[in-house]
Amino acid sequence: MTATASRANDAPRQVGTRNPAAPRRGGSPGGRSRRERLAVQGFLAVMALLWIFPVAYAVLASFRDYAYTAEHGYLSFGGFTLQNYKDAWSQANFSQTMVNSAIVTIPAVLLTLFLSCCIAFVVARFSFRFNLALLGLFTAANLLPPQALLIPVYRMFRAIEVPFWFSESGTLLNSYWGLIAVNVAFQTGFCAFVLSNYMKALPRELYESAVVDGASVTRQFFQITLPLCRPALAALATLQVTWIYNEFFWATVLLQSGDKFPVTSSLNNLRGEFFTDNNLVAAGSVVVALPTLIVFFVLQKQFVAGLTLGATKG
């Protein structure tokens, strides 16, 4: 009786017991996660190829002779030459337009980063009633499309009179300083927003110790905040160089003489009225893109560090 009862009590347990080696419904979790990982990797590989293909194709076309591609087609292989780069450099006047872009880009980036640091430091380290409103005021410039401000900005720059040694036109039109000012105005808000969030994450104990040691606010800004913000500043500098260097809308509006136009305008000189050598334009495009690529590779380590700062903070 005891043995029979024991087997009867154990029977339900044996029915409900599951063999660990038996396959689960829906497949193996490990196999499913592996398939998902392979699918994601395949999708990323396809997107990377789609993204790289136009750039790689333009670089390849820039080294090919137009007569060869016209005869054999762009899908052929051969006709390689460096003459496109020589012709593009001379016809587009890159020696002058690159200097013009440097005159605008370098001061604009430096002024943007410095003013953004000042704004972000005040917003992040001092509490007052209009703290967030001040940050929102500077950020609002990035919310409006430049086309909507075209006429007001043009009239304002035409009405502001400056000495002739400052601008040949007597106004901010046709002046490098006017183009620098409009770029700084539109880019400062974004940089201030990014830097303020980064500065808020800095330990307050550093500033408390500095106050105890008698450090002034100016000394806290230059000797504590700015050195700690170097990764974020490097990331923003890379973005700002790319954006301001490639900007052509305001240059078209505010500049009136061709000898002051930036390098982005040079590509128009490579296009004819009735005929366009696409290989020549591709070579010019590669030349225009080289400075931003150099800046990115020089600041690549700091750029990646600036993008990932605060990613692990809870």
Side-chain angles (χ1 to χ4, degrees):
M1 292 292 294
T2 305
T4 304
S6 177
R7 286 195 298 269
N9 293 333
D10 292 341
R13 296 180 183 179
Q14 293 175 0
V15 172
T17 303
R18 185 167 186 172
N19 187 2
R24 298 182 179 179
R25 295 181 179 178
S28 174
R32 184 169 60 251
S33 62
R34 183 179 180 182
R35 288 195 299 270
E36 292 175 353
R37 184 169 62 253
L38 291 176
V40 172
Q41 292 176 354
F43 173 76
L44 294 177
V46 172
M47 295 304 297
L49 290 176
L50 292 177
W51 185 271
I52 295 175
F53 176 77
V55 179
Y57 187 78
V59 174
L60 178 63
S62 67
F63 288 101
R64 304 184 66 187
D65 182 63
Y66 180 80
Y68 183 89
T69 56
E71 180 180 356
H72 299 86
Y74 281 96
L75 297 180
S76 60
F77 191 80
F80 296 102
T81 179
L82 295 176
Q83 189 63 35
N84 290 331
Y85 286 90
K86 298 178 182 179
D87 295 341
W89 188 273
S90 60
Q91 295 181 25
N93 194 20
F94 282 131
S95 58
Q96 177 63 37
T97 55
M98 280 193 172
V99 172
N100 296 340
S101 293
I103 293 174
V104 175
T105 302
I106 295 175
V109 171
L110 294 178
L111 281 174
T112 299
L113 295 180
F114 177 73
L115 294 177
S116 301
C117 286
C118 297
I119 299 168
F121 180 76
V122 173
V123 173
R125 290 300 163 196
F126 297 96
S127 298
F128 50 94
R129 180 178 300 179
F130 302 103
N131 191 313
L132 295 178
L134 179 64
L135 181 62
L137 178 64
F138 284 97
T139 310
N142 298 100
L143 304 179
L144 295 175
Q147 294 81 0
L149 302 176
L150 169 62
I151 296 177
V153 171
Y154 179 83
R155 291 182 176 179
M156 178 181 65
F157 276 39
R158 186 180 60 182
I160 297 177
E161 297 182 359
V162 296
F164 285 99
W165 60 264
F166 190 85
S167 174
E168 298 177 356
S169 62
T171 64
L172 288 179
L173 293 178
N174 199 31
S175 170
Y176 291 127
W177 292 107
L179 192 57
I180 292 172
V182 74
N183 280 299
V184 171
F186 277 95
Q187 300 299 333
T188 301
F190 171 76
C191 295
F193 177 77
V194 174
L195 289 172
S196 64
N197 292 328
Y198 176 71
M199 291 181 184
K200 290 178 181 179
L202 297 178
R204 290 189 174 272
E205 290 79 5
L206 295 175
Y207 297 94
E208 294 174 357
S209 301
V211 172
V212 172
D213 293 338
S216 62
V217 175
T218 304
R219 189 174 181 182
Q220 296 175 28
F221 176 71
F222 284 102
Q223 296 187 1
I224 298 178
T225 304
L226 291 185
L228 294 175
C229 290
R230 278 184 294 183
L233 289 174
L236 288 174
T238 306
L239 294 176
Q240 292 301 315
V241 167
T242 303
W243 292 343
I244 297 177
Y245 175 82
N246 291 326
E247 199 280 325
F248 183 59
F249 175 77
W250 288 114
T252 306
V253 174
L254 301 178
L255 297 180
Q256 299 172 340
S257 56
D259 58 340
K260 293 184 178 181
F261 276 92
V263 70
T264 49
S265 65
S266 300
L267 297 179
N268 288 330
N269 299 332
L270 302 178
R271 301 178 60 183
E273 183 177 359
F274 302 103
F275 167 76
T276 299
D277 186 348
N278 294 323
N279 296 350
L280 184 65
V281 175
S285 301
V286 172
V287 173
V288 171
L290 280 179
T292 55
L293 290 176
I294 293 173
V295 171
F296 174 78
F297 284 114
V298 170
L299 300 177
Q300 181 180 11
K301 183 178 180 180
Q302 292 80 5
F303 178 75
V304 174
L307 292 180
T308 57
L309 283 173
T312 58
K313 295 182 181 294

